Amino acid sequence: GEKILLIGEPMGLLTSTEYGTLDSIKNFDVSIAGAELNVAIGVKRLGHEVLYYSKLGRDLFSSWVLSCLRKNEISEGFIRYSSIHNTGFMFKSKVQDGDPSVYYYRKNSAASTISIEDVRNIDLSDIAILHITGIFPALSNNCLEVTKYLMQKAVANNIHVTYDPNIRMTLWESKEVMIRTLNELAKYATTVLPGISEGRLLTGFETAEEISAFYQELGVKNIIVKLGEKGAFATDGEQTYVTQGYFPNQIIDTVGAGDGFAAGIISAFAEGLSLQEATERGAAIGCIQVMHVGDNEGLPTREQLGIFMKTNKKF
Ligand code: KDG
């Protein structure tokens, strides 16, 4: 197989154009969010074929999402519709430093109703990589079942499963349930991509080495721990690499950096590159993402990525 399969929830995104808390903002900019969609756009821009499965309502936000898919030449073939549930949307604040705050309207969204019945007939024969994040399984019980189902089926079909735990605490009923569930899903992954603070929270360990050892115990082959501006730590159980981070000329918005990183890893694996090369590319796209305001607008084409990796300094 050579295609990349993703499943997730796309949302209308209203990003504040002024600094301040969300309840004090007057002006918002319109775009599209969704971790798996960001990754899909990232891999697609690098020239890979992606299959993006989701469910939308028939409303204003679904037309925004569809325009975004069309603009990025991602097929609508795997988009399903609900006539009773809405498309999710969210707000994002603008900050001078650190991570912006977000506010979701996605409870009972169309995507949260995706069931095993819906995905049972997805043809996996052409799929090289299945990408899963910890957001989709947090949306509802059936989304969790769907996630497990697809991961297990991928494992049975020798499909590489990349997994970004992508902690979104507000989507879970408790921290304990979140940790237990996200670690259970990690067992089906070929490659796990935690950020260092996510890794600490999920494993209870401190260093990238210890966090990696935890996932190796679960049977995960590749572990890539994202270290923010410091780059990333990667191991396949035999070799260990530390990739220095690229230097961002300015930090505009940290949201979406992890998705850019994942797009780098996935595209590199799909091209048969090594873990080290994949990690380099992940770090590069992660850096490009923090220099852009949107969650996916800054994702590079192959040419832009090549220029960036040649010319940008490292930390
Ligand atoms: O990874 C970026 C995402 O946080 C964003 O695009 C929205 O999917 C999203 C979420 O659940 O926060």
Side-chain angles (χ1 to χ4, degrees), residues 9-11 13 32-38 90 92 102 104 106 133 135-136 139 164 166-168 171 254-259 289 295-296:
E9 172 170 53
M11 287 172 289
L13 170 60
I32 297 297
E36 303 82 0
L37 178 60
N38 299 338
M90 63 179 283
K92 182 165 80 173
V102 297
Y104 296 128
R106 65 198 303 189
T133 90
I135 297 176
F136 185 70
L139 299 182
D164 180 347
N166 239 337
I167 288 183
R168 297 289 182 274
L171 297 178
T254 53
V255 179
D259 300 333
Q289 278 283 82
D295 287 12
N296 50 54

